[in-house]
Amino acid sequence: MNRRPIVTYAGDNSLFSGLQAGLVTGLPQESVEWRRSYGRPSRCVHVEVDFVPFSEECLVKDAPRTILGQPIFHTYWTDCADVEAYKSVTKDSLQAWIFSLKQQSVTDWMVILLETPDTRKGNKLLPRTTVLDKIKNDFGGKQAERCLSVIDPLKSDSRSMESWQTLLTKMRHLLMVAYNRALNKFEESMRAERERRTEKSWSFCSYFLLQEELAQVFHLLALYDEALIQYDELDALFTQFILNSAAGDSPPWLGIYSQPCEKWEGLHLTPHLDTVVQGKIQSKDVTLLEFRNYLFQRQCALLFQLNKPWEVASRSLTFLQNTVGELNILDVTVAPGGVACWGVLSCLEIIDSLHRYKEPSTTDAHALHTAPLWAYARDKLQELGSLCGLMPGSATSSAQLHTVISLVCGMGNDPHTHDQPTDNPPTSQDTPMTRLKDSLSSPQAFKKHFLDLSEVAISTYKHIGRIRSARLIGRDLATFYTAQGEPQKAATFLTDQLTMFLEEGWLLLAAQTHLDLAKCYLATNDLERYIRTCAQLAGSVVLGADVRKQHFNKMMTAIQDVQEGSSLLIPSDRIFEIGGVKLVSEGRIILQSEVKVELSVLSKLPDDVSCGTVYIMLQHSLEDNNETPTKRIAEVERKTSSSSASSQPSRDKPQASAMVHRSGSSTTEADRTNVPTDTGDSDGAKINPMTQPLHMSLHLEYKQDKSLSSAAVTCSNSHKVLSHLVNYLSRDWSDVVLLTEKWRRDSQGGLYKVDRNVVKEELEDRFVADDVIIRPGQNTIILSTKVTKKGRYSASQVVLALDKVEFICGKTSVGGSPMCVEVVSEIPRIFLGRRDRDLLAGIYQPMVLTVHSGSWQIAKGTSVKLRTSRGLSVKCDEEDQNCKTLERELEASLPEVSPFSSVAIPLTVMAELGPQRDAATVEHTVGISSPIIDQRLDIDVHFIPPFMSSHKLHTANTYKFIEVTVTGLVSRAVELTDPMLTVLDPEQQFKLTSLHPPTQSLVVCTKQTASYLWALEVDYEQEGTPPIKLEFTLQYRPLDENSQPLPEDPRNYKYMFDLQDYKTLYNIRARVEPSKGSELCRAGNMCHLHIALKQVSSKSPANETDGTSTQQATQHSIMYEVLADQTMWAVCGRTAGVLTLEGGLRQSVTMDVMPLTGGFLPLPSVRLSKYIPADSKQTTTKDGGRKMEYVGSASSVPRLQPFTAGQVYNFSKAQQVHVLPASNTLQGDLSVT
C-alpha cells in the first residue's frame, strides 16, 4: 500500500525539479486539519503525495470508480520576473493550462511564482504592477489565494524560509480541500453501488474492492480507526448475505464462495496487503476461506496499528466459529480435517502475533481471550488426532497416512518462510505450520504437542479464574491418560473434576466421575482409595439400585483385603447423614451416673451394615478461663450494700456435682436463679454462637483494568463468631484452623477436597454403643457413658466402626444444634441478708441466714458458727435452737438439706448505738464458719443510726444556756424520754437548771427534730475558765406504723461533750448621735458613732457597779473593726484599731459616720479580736487562763486570734437608728457629687 495521492505539475519543469525534493519531504512534516463534510468531526492528518507531470489524458470527466492513482490537485510553476516577458510567453502557456482544467471541471489548482532576491535588488524603481498581480488579475478571479509567490528557498535568509513555510501551509490546506472533494464524489459513487446490491448483476467482489479502496485512503491518511470501520462494514454486509442465503435468499454472486476448498491455508497476520488474494477477488475466483482470511488479516493489521491487540484476541474466536458456520451454510466442500487444520493454524498464528505485541498492561486482557483460543486449537488438534489415528490406543492405517499427506499438502507453503528477519526471528520449528506438520508426523509428536496445548489452556483458564473450563479440559486429559495406560495421572484430573461437581451440586456428574475413579484406583491397586470410592458410589442417591448394590458388594469384598490390625478411615459426609444428638437422660445427673444420648443416623447404603462400635467423641474442658455461674453470683452478692453477703466457692473440693444439658441458647440451673448476674465478657461464652445472626455482605474484587475478577459473600463479624465459637466449644487452635479451612474457598476454586486425609480425634471421653446394625434409611441409636470428671463436654466426631473400616463424620457435619453438656460441681453457699428494710443501730433488727446445699447432701445437725464484732450481738429466732439470748457468738444447727436446696434460719441482731454526732453508718463484721465451707467468711454489715445529737452554747451578757438537739435520720419514728444533762466532775460546782418539762416525750424522724435547753450558772469570781465535761442521756424506743411504742424496754442513749472558754470577757455598747445643732440624724449629714468596750469583772454581776475590780485583764490588747453596710453607712477615718486595757476595764472610741439613706438603719457592727504583738505569744495556764510571754523574735509578725462563741457580748446587736431623709437641696448636691 505505497500508492499516494497524485499531484501534477506544469509550467517550468526544470524549475519544479529543483524544488520537488523539498516539497515531498516538507509536506508531511506538519499536520493539517481536515474539515470533513456531512457534519463529521474534523481530523488532523499528515499529507504525503506523489508529483507527476501534467497531461490531459490523466483528466477524467466522469465520476471516478477509483480514487487511488488519479490526480486530485494540479500546480503550475514559473519564475517569470518581467511583466513584458509574462505577457509575451508565460501568459499564453498558463491560459492553455487553465483552459484544459476548466474543460474537465477541475477547480483544484495552484499557480506558484518563484522570485529571486537578486531580481528585487535590480529593480530599484518599483513597478506599478508585478507579475503576481497580473496572474491574479488574469486567472485568479474569486480564487486569488490560489496564486502565490515564493522566494527562492535555496537562499538561507529568513524571508526565504518564511516564504517557503507559507507555501507548504497553503498547499497542505488546498490539498485537503481537493482530497475532501474527491472523497465526497467517491463516497457518493460507492453508496450508489451499494444501493444496487439487490440487483442480479451486482457483485460483492466489485463492491468489496471499491470500499476497500476507501479504507486504503483512510489508511494513507493514518486514520486507522476509519479504515477499520470500512472493513467492519464489509464484514457485516457479507455475513448478512450468508445468513439471508440460509433463509433461501441467495444472490447469484454468492455461488463463487460455494466452490470447493482445496486449500486450507491458515491466517497470516502481516501488515502488508495480500495482492494474490486481492487479485483473486478482483477476478472473482476466491474461496470462502481465502476471503475470510484476507478480510480478518486486514482487520487485525489495523487493530495492531491502533495498539489494540486485546481486541484482536476478542475477535478471533468469533471469527473462527463464524467461518466454520458459514462453510456449513454454503455447503462448501472441504476435505476431512481441512477445517481442523485451518483452525489450528489460525489459532497458533493469532497467539504468536499477540505474543509479539504483548505488554505488561495488557497481559490479563490477552489471557481472557487467548484461553479459549488455546482450547479451540487443542480441540481441533484432538479432532485431527482421532481422524489420523494418532490418539492413544489406535493404530495408524494406510488410509489415515494418505489423509495426513493430503492434509499437509492442503496447508500450502509456510507463509513465514519469506518474512523479514526481526530482533528475535522465529526458527522454522516455531511457525504454526511447522508445529502442526510435526504433530501429524507421529503419535509421539502428537502426544507432545497435544499435552503442551492442554497444559497451556488449563493454566490460562486458571489464570483468568475460569476453573470450570479448566476442569473440563482436565476431564479430556483423564480420558487421554486412561487410553494411554496411565491411570494414576488420569485420577489426578478426575479428582479435580469431582471436586468441582460436588461443590456445585452436580451429583449425577459426580457419580459418573466416581465410576471412572474406581476404575483408575482398581487399575493402580490403590486399595484405600478404591474402598472409599466404592463407598461413595454405594451411597449415591442418583445411581440405580443395581449399580449401588454392585459397588457395595465390591466395597465389602475389598475390605477383607485390608491388613489385620489396621483401620481404614472413610469420610461419611455423603454416606451417612447425622441428623443430630439428643440428650435422653432426664433431670440432674450426678457424677458416676450413666448419661444416655440419642443419635439419629440416615444411611444411604443399599444394605445393612454391622458396626462393632458406634461412638461420639467428647471434647472435655475445665472452666478455668471463664467465670462459673456460682462465682459470678458470689461476687455480685459480696458487692451488695447493707446486709447482703456471699460466700466464695472453692473450686478445689471434689464434692458432688450435677450435669446440666445445654443446647441452643438454654442456660444452666445457676443462671436461672433470681440473683443479679454479671454482664461481663464471660457471658459471650454462655450464648450459643451457632444460633447468632451472621452479618453478610457482598465482596467484589476487580482487576487492574477495572474488570470484575471475582464475587463473594463475606461475613463482617466472622472474627467475633469464631472467637465465641472457640470459647463455646473449647476447641484447640488446630481445630479452629481446620474449621476455617472448611469454610474458606481455596485458590483452586474448591470448598471441599475429595481426596483428603481423614484425621481421627483420639479423645478419652465418648458416648459408646456396641454391636449396632445400621439399616438403609433412618436409624436411632442410644449411646451411653459414665461421667467421671466435672467440666464441659461438647460433641465432636461421630465414628461408625466396622471390622477394618471406620466411617468418620466431622463435628461440623452433625445436624441440629451443637450438643454441649456441662458438668457443674457446686459447693454449699452461705448467705447473710436482711429481710425487708435497712438495718438500724440500737434497735432489734431481723436478719436471715440462708444455706444453699449446692450439689451436697447436708446432714442434720451440721453446725454453722457466727462470731460478730464488738458492739453487735445476735440470737436465733427458731424454737428448736438453743441460742435464745443476744450474744456475740452463735452456733446454729442445720436440718437435713437435699442437694440443690436451701434452708433459711431467722436471726435477730442488735448493734449498739453510741454517741452519734453525724449520719455515718455503724459498721460491723460477722464471721461465718462451718464444716461445709473451706474457709471462714467475713461479711461486712452496715447499720444506719436512727438519730444523731449535737449541742450549742447560748449567751445573754453573763448568763449561759446549753441547747442539745436530737435529729432523726430515718423514716422510722423513735420516741425520746427522760432527757438529762449532768456534770461528770463532782468537784466542779456548776448549777444546771432545766428549762423544759422533765416528763415530756418527743418523737424524732427524718422530718422532725427535738431540742432541750438548760441554764448554766457561771462563777465569775473564780479565776480562769476550767473546762466542763457534760453528759447528755435519754431513753428511746421505736414506734410502729401507728405511732405506738413497741413492746420493748426503752434503751439508754449517752452523749458526752466539753465546754471551754464559756465565760463572757467583754461587752460592747454602740450608739449613733447626730452632730451638734441637730436633734436627729439625717441622711447625708455627719454623725458620731460611739463605741464603749468594757471588760467583765471577775466578781459577781452585783458588784460591777462600783467600777472597781481586783481581777486584772486577761487580755491587754484588743483589736476592734467596724463593719458597715456600704449602701447604708459611710465610715470616715479608720475603721479598725487596737485598744489597750492596761489600767482600766473600760475603753471608748468615737468616729464619724454618714448615713447614706433614710429610714431605720441597723447600726454598724463591731468585731473584736485578740491582738498578739510581734514579740510575744499566748500560752494557756494550768487553770485554763491565758498569759503573754515575750519571745524576743524580730522576725515574727503581729497576728489576730478570734474570740470563741460567748466570750464577747454585744448589747447593740440588731439595734436600729432612725435617720431622716436628706433635704431637697442637699439631696440634689449629693446626686451631683
Side-chain angles (χ1 to χ4, degrees):
M1 192 182 294
N2 295 324
R3 292 183 296 173
R4 302 174 182 175
I6 295 177
V7 178
T8 64
Y9 60 91
D12 192 346
N13 293 340
S14 60
L15 172 65
F16 175 78
S17 299
L19 302 176
Q20 182 176 0
L23 288 173
V24 172
T25 58
L27 285 174
Q29 289 181 356
E30 294 183 9
S31 62
V32 60
E33 183 182 7
W34 178 19
R35 298 180 180 179
R36 307 172 67 184
S37 305
Y38 305 111
R40 287 176 284 189
S42 301
R43 302 290 293 271
C44 291
V45 298
H46 292 267
V47 180
E48 296 184 25
V49 297
D50 289 333
F51 289 93
V52 297
F54 175 78
S55 63
E56 294 185 2
E57 291 78 7
C58 66
L59 300 178
V60 181
K61 183 176 181 180
D62 297 333
R65 296 281 300 180
T66 179
I67 191 173
L68 297 176
Q70 299 295 328
I72 60 171
F73 192 65
H74 306 274
T75 59
Y76 188 91
W77 301 80
T78 180
D79 58 350
C80 180
D82 186 22
V83 176
E84 296 301 329
Y86 164 75
K87 292 180 179 179
S88 60
V89 180
T90 306
K91 181 178 180 180
D92 295 338
S93 175
L94 184 58
Q95 187 173 6
W97 179 72
I98 292 293
F99 181 74
S100 300
L101 295 178
K102 287 183 177 180
Q103 282 185 339
Q104 301 297 334
S105 301
V106 177
T107 58
D108 299 310
W109 53 269
M110 187 177 183
V111 178
I112 300 95
L113 174 64
L114 181 64
E115 298 180 354
T116 59
D118 297 338
T119 305
R120 292 194 173 190
K121 291 180 181 179
N123 298 331
K124 295 184 179 180
L125 296 177
L126 295 175
R128 294 182 179 179
T129 57
T130 61
V131 176
L132 181 62
D133 295 335
K134 286 291 185 179
I135 294 175
K136 289 182 178 180
N137 292 332
D138 296 339
F139 308 103
K142 297 181 180 180
Q143 298 180 350
E145 72 277 359
R146 292 183 177 272
C147 302
L148 186 67
S149 65
V150 60
I151 302 176
D152 189 358
L154 300 178
K155 304 296 182 181
S156 60
D157 57 341
S158 59
R159 290 186 60 194
S160 299
M161 297 301 297
E162 182 180 358
S163 175
W164 181 253
Q165 292 298 327
T166 303
L167 172 64
L168 293 177
T169 302
K170 192 67 175 180
M171 184 172 289
R172 292 190 193 101
H173 172 69
L174 294 178
L175 273 172
M176 291 314 303
V177 172
Y179 219 78
N180 187 57
R181 184 178 291 111
L183 282 177
N184 289 339
K185 293 180 180 180
F186 182 79
E187 288 181 357
E188 290 177 2
S189 175
M190 186 186 70
R191 282 193 292 271
E193 181 67 19
R194 186 169 61 240
E195 294 299 326
R196 295 180 52 251
R197 64 183 179 274
T198 56
E199 299 179 4
K200 293 184 178 181
S201 60
W202 189 81
S203 174
F204 178 79
C205 295
S206 301
Y207 176 75
F208 176 84
L209 296 174
L210 190 64
Q211 190 164 356
E212 186 187 25
E213 189 168 348
L214 179 61
Q216 293 175 3
V217 171
F218 287 129
H219 188 275
L220 289 174
L221 297 176
L223 301 178
Y224 304 121
D225 53 343
E226 297 287 346
L228 181 62
I229 291 174
Q230 306 305 318
Y231 282 111
D232 289 344
E233 290 180 355
L234 289 171
D235 188 1
L237 182 61
F238 185 75
T239 302
Q240 190 61 45
F241 274 118
I242 293 181
L243 294 178
N244 294 341
S245 68
D249 185 10
S250 179
W253 57 266
L254 197 58
I256 301 173
Y257 300 97
S258 299
Q259 58 181 324
C261 291
E262 298 178 356
K263 296 287 185 179
W264 33 87
E265 299 173 348
L267 279 174
H268 181 212
L269 299 184
T270 174
H272 307 294
L273 274 174
D274 191 347
T275 56
V276 176
V277 179
Q278 192 178 35
K280 290 184 178 182
I281 296 174
Q282 188 173 4
S283 62
K284 302 177 183 180
D285 187 20
V286 61
T287 62
L288 181 61
L289 283 180
E290 291 175 339
F291 176 76
R292 275 301 183 184
N293 286 346
Y294 176 81
L295 181 57
F296 188 72
Q297 180 265 333
R298 296 307 308 149
Q299 291 174 322
C300 293
L302 294 172
L303 287 172
F304 284 133
Q305 288 179 320
L306 289 171
N307 197 21
K308 293 182 179 180
W310 60 87
E311 190 169 345
V312 174
S314 64
R315 292 186 177 202
S316 299
L317 187 61
T318 305
F319 157 72
L320 295 171
Q321 294 173 344
N322 289 345
T323 302
V324 175
E326 291 173 357
L327 290 172
N328 296 329
I329 292 174
L330 297 180
D331 293 332
V332 178
T333 302
V334 185
V339 177
C341 289
W342 171 81
V344 173
L345 293 174
S346 300
C347 286
L348 296 179
E349 176 70 17
I350 294 170
I351 292 172
D352 290 346
S353 300
L354 290 175
H355 285 172
R356 289 194 294 268
Y357 288 91
K358 188 175 182 180
E359 296 179 3
S361 59
T362 60
T363 300
D364 291 338
H366 286 176
L368 185 63
H369 302 289
T370 54
L373 290 178
W374 286 112
Y376 188 85
R378 190 199 69 88
D379 293 341
K380 294 302 177 182
L381 185 61
Q382 186 178 11
E383 181 182 343
L384 289 174
S386 301
L387 179 66
C388 300
L390 300 175
M391 294 294 289
S394 60
T396 305
S397 62
S398 59
Q400 290 173 336
L401 290 177
H402 288 290
T403 302
V404 172
I405 295 173
S406 61
L407 289 176
V408 171
C409 294
M411 297 179 193
N413 297 324
D414 193 345
H416 293 280
T417 303
H418 304 289
D419 285 351
Q420 295 293 331
T422 58
D423 295 337
N424 297 315
T427 61
S428 59
Q429 295 181 356
D430 293 331
T431 62
M433 184 173 293
T434 306
R435 282 182 281 178
L436 180 56
K437 289 181 179 180
D438 184 50
S439 300
L440 299 178
S441 62
S442 65
Q444 293 76 17
F446 174 82
K447 175 184 177 182
K448 175 182 177 300
H449 288 285
F450 178 73
L451 293 180
D452 290 343
L453 287 177
S454 300
E455 181 181 357
V456 174
I458 291 176
S459 60
T460 311
Y461 271 130
K462 288 183 178 180
H463 175 69
I464 63 177
R466 293 175 60 177
I467 306 300
R468 183 182 298 174
S469 300
R471 295 288 185 262
L472 293 177
I473 296 177
R475 183 173 181 82
D476 291 342
L477 285 179
T479 305
F480 182 87
Y481 280 120
T482 302
Q484 187 76 17
E486 299 179 7
Q488 66 277 8
K489 295 183 178 180
T492 303
F493 293 101
L494 289 175
T495 302
D496 293 338
Q497 187 80 10
L498 180 60
T499 301
M500 181 188 70
F501 289 152
L502 289 176
E503 70 181 20
E504 295 183 3
W506 303 99
L507 299 182
L508 182 58
L509 296 177
Q512 294 174 354
T513 308
H514 267 128
L515 292 172
D516 297 335
L517 274 173
K519 297 177 182 178
C520 294
Y521 293 146
L522 184 61
T524 57
N525 199 21
D526 192 341
L527 185 61
E528 179 179 352
R529 289 189 173 92
Y530 178 71
I531 294 175
R532 289 182 183 179
T533 306
C534 290
Q536 298 292 339
L537 289 171
S540 178
V541 296
V542 297
L543 294 177
D546 296 338
V547 178
R548 296 172 59 191
K549 183 68 174 179
Q550 178 184 0
H551 284 87
F552 177 79
N553 295 331
K554 290 181 179 179
M555 177 190 71
M556 300 304 295
T557 303
I559 289 176
Q560 304 302 323
D561 298 334
V562 178
Q563 295 180 0
E564 293 292 339
S566 62
S567 180
L568 179 61
L569 304 181
I570 300 178
S572 63
D573 298 345
R574 293 178 302 276
I575 303 173
F576 298 100
E577 274 189 20
I578 307 301
V581 182
K582 180 181 178 182
L583 185 65
V584 177
S585 300
E586 298 180 354
R588 294 183 176 91
I589 303 171
I590 308 300
L591 283 176
Q592 303 301 328
S593 63
E594 188 177 19
V595 183
K596 294 183 178 181
V597 296
E598 180 182 288
L599 177 65
S600 298
V601 179
L602 176 63
S603 175
K604 300 179 181 179
L605 295 177
D607 204 346
D608 296 346
V609 176
S610 179
C611 298
T613 307
V614 176
Y615 51 91
I616 302 174
M617 297 290 187
L618 293 177
Q619 285 185 335
H620 174 260
S621 63
L622 293 175
E623 294 185 340
D624 292 336
N625 298 327
N626 298 322
E627 268 191 323
T628 61
T630 306
K631 183 177 178 180
R632 293 204 306 272
I633 296 171
E635 290 297 330
V636 172
E637 292 178 350
R638 176 171 288 274
K639 296 176 183 178
T640 55
S641 60
S642 298
S643 61
S644 62
S646 66
S647 62
Q648 180 71 23
S650 175
R651 292 173 293 181
D652 300 330
K653 192 167 186 177
Q655 300 297 335
S657 60
M659 175 179 287
V660 182
H661 178 239
R662 160 176 274 173
S663 178
S665 59
S666 61
T667 58
T668 61
E669 183 70 21
D671 292 333
R672 290 194 286 267
T673 58
N674 292 324
V675 181
T677 57
D678 199 355
T679 58
D681 295 338
S682 60
D683 288 344
K686 302 301 178 185
I687 301 175
N688 188 352
M690 302 296 288
T691 62
Q692 299 304 306
L694 300 178
H695 304 290
M696 310 303 293
S697 61
L698 180 63
H699 179 70
L700 303 178
E701 291 185 358
Y702 295 90
K703 299 180 181 179
Q704 293 182 355
D705 58 351
K706 305 303 181 183
S707 62
L708 184 63
S709 174
S710 64
V713 178
T714 60
C715 177
S716 58
N717 63 338
S718 59
H719 61 284
K720 179 183 290 186
V721 175
L722 288 177
S723 63
H724 288 177
L725 191 61
V726 173
N727 293 334
Y728 183 75
L729 299 178
S730 301
R731 287 189 171 96
D732 295 333
W733 179 245
S734 58
D735 297 331
V736 178
V737 172
L738 291 176
L739 181 63
T740 53
E741 289 296 331
K742 178 75 168 67
W743 291 344
R744 185 185 300 128
R745 174 182 288 270
D746 61 354
S747 60
Q748 299 301 322
L751 287 173
Y752 179 80
K753 289 300 180 184
V754 176
D755 193 16
R756 73 187 191 279
N757 293 324
V758 182
V759 179
K760 178 184 175 183
E761 298 177 351
E762 297 296 337
L763 301 176
E764 296 179 358
D765 303 305
R766 59 185 66 178
F767 290 107
V768 181
D770 297 329
D771 299 330
V772 178
I773 297 178
I774 300 179
R775 293 179 170 82
Q778 192 69 37
N779 297 266
T780 301
I781 306 172
I782 303 298
L783 300 93
S784 62
T785 187
K786 276 190 177 182
V787 180
T788 58
K789 295 178 291 185
K790 66 177 182 179
R792 179 183 298 163
Y793 294 86
S794 58
S796 184
Q797 292 180 341
V798 178
V799 180
L800 289 79
L802 278 69
D803 185 14
K804 300 177 182 180
V805 174
E806 291 184 352
F807 292 92
I808 308 296
C809 180
K811 46 194 167 185
T812 58
S813 301
V814 178
S817 300
M819 191 201 73
C820 184
V821 177
E822 188 170 352
V823 178
V824 180
S825 178
E826 295 185 15
I827 66 171
R829 293 171 290 157
I830 301 177
F831 306 95
L832 180 63
R834 61 181 186 269
R835 290 187 183 177
D836 51 356
R837 61 178 66 183
D838 294 335
L839 299 179
L840 301 180
I843 302 175
Y844 292 106
Q845 295 293 298
M847 295 188 72
V848 60
L849 179 66
T850 305
V851 179
H852 180 69
S853 63
S855 57
W856 283 26
Q857 177 75 26
I858 300 179
K860 182 178 180 181
T862 303
S863 62
V864 177
K865 295 181 180 180
L866 281 73
R867 181 178 179 85
T868 63
S869 58
R870 180 174 299 177
L872 178 64
S873 55
V874 59
K875 70 176 182 178
C876 186
D877 294 342
E878 288 188 349
E879 297 181 356
D880 55 350
Q881 300 291 340
N882 298 325
C883 45
K884 295 296 184 180
T885 59
L886 289 170
E887 296 177 355
R888 287 188 57 195
E889 294 186 2
L890 181 145
E891 182 175 353
S893 297
L894 299 178
E896 184 178 358
V897 185
S898 60
F900 302 101
S901 300
S902 300
V903 62
I905 302 175
L907 303 175
T908 299
V909 297
M910 167 64 75
E912 295 180 1
L913 180 62
Q916 196 70 26
R917 292 177 171 82
D918 52 22
T921 60
V922 181
E923 297 183 358
H924 289 281
T925 302
V926 179
I928 303 176
S929 59
S930 177
I932 63 176
I933 59 177
D934 289 344
Q935 57 186 359
R936 172 179 169 176
L937 299 178
D938 291 329
I939 301 174
D940 298 330
V941 185
H942 303 273
F943 294 86
I944 300 175
F947 54 83
M948 69 176 185
S949 56
S950 61
H951 70 278
K952 186 175 183 182
L953 180 65
H954 298 278
T955 302
N957 196 5
T958 58
Y959 298 98
K960 302 296 179 177
F961 303 92
I962 300 175
E963 180 188 8
V964 179
T965 303
V966 180
T967 304
L969 299 177
V970 295
S971 60
R972 187 171 184 177
V974 180
E975 182 183 20
L976 308 178
T977 58
D978 300 333
M980 293 181 62
L981 184 64
T982 57
V983 179
L984 295 179
D985 191 356
E987 296 180 358
Q988 293 181 336
Q989 300 296 326
F990 291 97
K991 184 179 180 181
L992 294 172
T993 304
S994 175
L995 301 181
H996 55 271
T999 59
Q1000 183 183 12
S1001 64
L1002 300 177
V1003 177
V1004 294
C1005 58
T1006 53
K1007 298 181 180 180
Q1008 190 170 348
T1009 60
S1011 298
Y1012 303 94
L1013 190 65
W1014 285 268
L1016 174 65
E1017 293 184 5
V1018 181
D1019 184 7
Y1020 284 88
E1021 294 293 336
Q1022 183 183 4
E1023 292 187 4
T1025 309
I1028 305 174
K1029 296 185 179 294
L1030 301 174
E1031 182 183 49
F1032 170 73
T1033 60
L1034 56 76
Q1035 300 292 323
Y1036 69 93
R1037 59 179 176 178
L1039 303 179
D1040 57 12
E1041 290 77 3
N1042 299 324
S1043 300
Q1044 297 298 323
L1046 294 176
E1048 300 178 4
D1049 296 334
R1051 300 186 64 83
N1052 189 26
Y1053 173 77
K1054 295 181 180 181
Y1055 171 67
M1056 284 77 70
F1057 58 92
D1058 297 342
L1059 290 181
Q1060 295 181 356
D1061 298 330
Y1062 48 85
K1063 287 185 178 181
T1064 303
L1065 302 179
Y1066 302 96
N1067 57 36
I1068 302 173
R1069 296 179 188 273
R1071 70 181 187 276
V1072 176
E1073 296 178 353
S1075 59
K1076 293 182 180 181
S1078 300
E1079 296 181 358
L1080 296 174
C1081 296
R1082 184 179 296 276
N1085 292 343
M1086 194 66 67
C1087 300
H1088 302 292
L1089 173 63
H1090 299 278
I1091 302 174
L1093 175 63
K1094 179 183 178 182
Q1095 182 176 357
V1096 177
S1097 175
S1098 60
K1099 300 187 299 180
S1100 62
N1103 298 328
E1104 290 180 1
T1105 57
D1106 58 359
T1108 62
S1109 175
T1110 61
Q1111 180 185 4
Q1112 297 296 327
T1114 60
Q1115 186 70 37
H1116 299 281
S1117 300
I1118 303 298
M1119 176 111 181
Y1120 70 89
E1121 297 175 85
V1122 178
L1123 306 176
D1125 190 350
Q1126 296 180 359
T1127 62
M1128 298 181 183
W1129 299 95
V1131 182
C1132 301
R1134 297 176 58 185
T1135 60
V1138 179
L1139 299 177
T1140 303
L1141 298 179
E1142 295 180 359
L1145 300 177
R1146 295 177 183 270
Q1147 284 285 354
S1148 61
V1149 178
T1150 302
M1151 58 180 63
D1152 295 335
V1153 296
M1154 178 186 292
L1156 301 179
T1157 182
F1160 291 92
L1161 304 182
L1163 291 178
S1165 61
V1166 180
R1167 183 173 63 187
L1168 296 183
S1169 302
K1170 303 173 187 179
Y1171 180 78
I1172 303 175
D1175 55 352
S1176 63
K1177 67 177 181 178
Q1178 188 181 37
T1179 61
T1180 304
T1181 61
K1182 295 181 180 180
D1183 57 357
R1186 300 179 182 273
K1187 67 179 182 177
M1188 306 299 297
E1189 292 183 0
Y1190 292 93
V1191 297
S1193 176
S1195 61
S1196 60
V1197 296
R1199 62 186 185 276
L1200 299 178
Q1201 184 175 0
F1203 287 100
T1204 60
Q1207 288 185 320
V1208 178
Y1209 182 75
N1210 191 349
F1211 283 93
S1212 304
K1213 189 174 184 179
Q1215 287 186 4
Q1216 296 179 337
V1217 60
H1218 186 200
V1219 179
L1220 298 178
S1223 60
N1224 294 335
T1225 304
L1226 182 59
Q1227 185 71 25
D1229 295 341
L1230 289 175
S1231 62
V1232 172
T1233 303

